[in-house]
Amino acid sequence: MKDMSEGYTTADGRKIGGTMMEMKNITLRFGGVVAIKDISFDIREGEIRAIIGPNGAGKSSMLNVISGFYIPSEGEVWFHGSKRPQMKPYQVAQQGIARTFQNIALFKGMSTLDNMMTGRMTRMKSSMAQQAMWWGKAQKEESEHREAVEKIIDFLEIQAIRKTPVGRLPYGLQKRVELGRALAAEPKLLLLDEPMAGMNVEEKEDMSRFILDVNDEFGTTIALIEHDMGVVMDLSDRVVVMDYGKKIGDGTPDEVRNNQDVIDAYLGVSHD
Amino acid sequence: MPDQLLFAIEVTLNGLMAGVMYALVALGFVLIFKASGIFNYAQGVMALFAALTLVGLQNGQVPFAHLINAIFGTDVHHFGWHLPAFVAIILTIGVMILLAIIVERYVLKHLVNQEPIILFMATIGLAYFMEGFGDMMWGSEIKKLDVGLPQGISESIDATTYNWFGYGFFIDRLDIVATVIAALLVISLTLFSQYSKQGRALRAVADDHQAALSVGISLRFIWVLVWSIAGFVALVAGIMWGAKSGVQFSLSLIALKALPVLMLGGFTSIPGAIVGGLIIGVGEKLFEFAIGPMIGGATENWFAYVLALLFLVFRPQGLFGEKIIERV
Ligand SMILES: Nc1ncnc2c1ncn2[C@@H]1O[C@H](COP(=O)(O)OP(=O)(O)O)[C@@H](O)[C@H]1O
Ligand SMILES: [Mg+2]
């Protein structure tokens, strides 16, 4: 069964395609805790889809389900029109889904460049035996990957820290390198877990610009989690709102902003 | 030059070469510890098992001969062939890779996310299992290992140094070869980990599991890879040690010497394992040479451990480890 929902055109004239990913009735339990309760939503080709909600709402858990880090207790994940079997995170990555983490997961001992080269892991084809036997060919492949990574380094304006071990970088730059590593995979779907958390205003503006540019220039579909309503309204095409593991709203930023349940969740409760 | 000094230099050289051996075994520990946080107690036994397998394959021994004969009343011992050393080495590498796959499939896979102490215990079990299994497969008698490495004191070094200094250095040719091979091994491991896709994946896993998963690295594959490499390093160590003193149970005890090396070098540092091994090799020989006679000798048995103890007290992070500051 294929679900190819009609696309739509955004206010700024970008064409959004059919359904890329569909979450169907996802429930996730940890012992007694229900982190996600029967949630369904879709992500369409080319859009920027936001998931928002107060702390502990289950946003990260949802991203972890998409990226294979968590296995849902119930429900189905559909990708490109077919039901996805249970997958390990590395298999999901190989399908063209890259991600960042809420609490930055970088290779702290490696340089920016090496982190991003590692991000190209799924794009590196030659096997170990081939690399050992055709050293020249392997070197050629390596330099092609290097070129691709350098482009992203330029794009993210991080030339100055190419050789710096990322553990020594300030928080804001680490977030940027982590985005770079995800981009290095040239993903079809990019998952960002609170890419702007803990940043100052200037850094937030930079990050917003990068996210919009990635979507615009590379046509990458993006699902991002954000805590802050304001940022989300500027960036995203459609928004899912979660609260206590349940979906309480889904629609364009304007629709969501005027949804009474959403207003209650944001005004009534202050989880942080 | 005074004779005493020349003698000390000779002792140092011999110590360096013994140190290479310690470094090799320590390297096997470090590789596995870095990639999976497991202290692999079985590393020494892996060296023994690899050497036993190599000798068995080379001599065309029938595996499990005792068992087969006991069950079927037969009297099989040898296939009656003799394999060239390099063929036997390649086959043994295959066996060590198979071992890595089995360890991952039947032990590690079921213990993911367990406490380090549980994984450590599992490797203790593995060590005893492999020791018994090796015995059952190849028999427990002491075996001679001969893969064609040069043996004996190098006469040319003896003669040359005699001409230069009027004092001939006694250096074992096997030690020289072992040093060269160990150096080549370390260089190729470094190149592999710096420049190959899988090497980069290995470093990634050693650095951050979660991040490694997110870029598409399979942890199970990395574990097989790292245990295979550790098996290969164990084979090299087993060949060197076996060529020197025969293949016998005591070979697995070189692992005990790797422990003080690790305390010096740190558990996660490859350069640390190498420098630590060399320091202990040289240290114990020089100590025996300089202080040994005054306190009745046999200091080589305990020197390494006392040195390691001093390190534990004054520099617990090892030579190259970063200072550990508890986050509060
Ligand atoms: N690995 C886990 N084990 C147990 N509970 C978890 C785990 N991950 C998330 N949870 C629980 O699920 C709920 C949702 O958490 P999370 O998805 O991180 O929320 P959010 O990202 O919206 O802040 C919380 O109650 C949290 O404690
Ligand atoms: Mg979260």
Side-chain angles (χ1 to χ4, degrees), chain A residues 54-61 102-103 193-194 225 227:
Chain A
N55 258 337
K59 308 180 295 296
S60 292
S61 298
Q102 186 171 348
N103 309 309
D193 195 346
E194 304 210 13
I225 292 178
H227 198 71

Side-chain angles (χ1 to χ4, degrees), chain B residues 32-53:
Chain B
I32 292 185
F33 190 81
K34 262 179 93 93
S36 54
I38 298 175
F39 182 82
N40 177 24
Y41 183 82
Q43 189 66 35
V45 183
M46 272 163 72
L48 172 66
F49 182 80
L52 276 174
T53 305

Side-chain angles (χ1 to χ4, degrees), chain A residues 122-173:
Chain A
T122 53
R123 301 245 151 218
M124 298 186 179
K125 291 290 174 276
S126 55
S127 72
M128 198 155 27
Q130 285 169 326
Q131 289 193 28
M133 277 184 276
W134 292 284
W135 184 251
K137 191 164 162 264
Q139 287 314 99
K140 185 161 163 282
E141 205 194 325
E142 175 93 2
S143 64
E144 282 165 12
H145 290 302
R146 182 71 185 262
E147 236 167 74
V149 161
E150 293 291 353
K151 277 198 192 118
I152 296 164
I153 288 179
D154 288 345
F155 173 77
L156 292 176
E157 299 155 16
I158 46 178
Q159 299 91 337
I161 54 162
R162 287 160 75 252
K163 305 268 167 160
T164 317
V166 297
R168 296 210 201 119
L169 295 172
Y171 180 85
L173 277 179

Side-chain angles (χ1 to χ4, degrees), chain A residues 105 108-109 114 124 131 142, chain B residues 196-197 200 203-204 207 211 217:
Chain A
K108 294 224 157 48
D114 250 2
M124 298 186 179
Q131 289 193 28
E142 175 93 2
Chain B
S196 75
K197 172 188 170 188
R200 199 177 274 121
R203 280 189 292 143
D207 198 314
I217 297 168

Side-chain angles (χ1 to χ4, degrees), chain B residues 134-166:
Chain B
D135 259 13
M136 195 162 76
M137 205 163 162
W138 303 114
S140 56
E141 63 281 0
I142 298 178
K143 296 179 186 64
K144 212 167 103 53
L145 186 147
D146 180 14
V147 289
L149 295 178
Q151 301 268 4
I153 300 300
S154 163
E155 281 115 32
S156 55
I157 290 181
D158 187 12
T160 315
T161 47
Y162 188 82
N163 276 342
W164 290 351
F165 311 116

Side-chain angles (χ1 to χ4, degrees), chain A residues 69 89-90 93-94 99 101 105-110 114 117-119 121-122 124 126-128 131 142 181, chain B residues 192 194-198 200-201 203-205 207-208 210-221 225:
Chain A
F69 278 79
Y90 79 92
Q94 283 166 358
R99 67 166 294 175
F101 294 84
L106 281 167
F107 308 115
K108 294 224 157 48
M110 294 189 199
D114 250 2
M117 282 297 278
T118 313
M121 198 59 71
T122 53
M124 298 186 179
S126 55
S127 72
M128 198 155 27
Q131 289 193 28
E142 175 93 2
R181 189 184 59 198
Chain B
F192 170 76
Q194 289 301 318
Y195 298 110
S196 75
K197 172 188 170 188
Q198 287 77 13
R200 199 177 274 121
R203 280 189 292 143
V205 170
D207 198 314
D208 190 312
Q210 209 181 34
L213 285 171
S214 81
V215 296
I217 297 168
S218 154
L219 282 187
R220 294 189 56 187
F221 172 76
L225 178 67

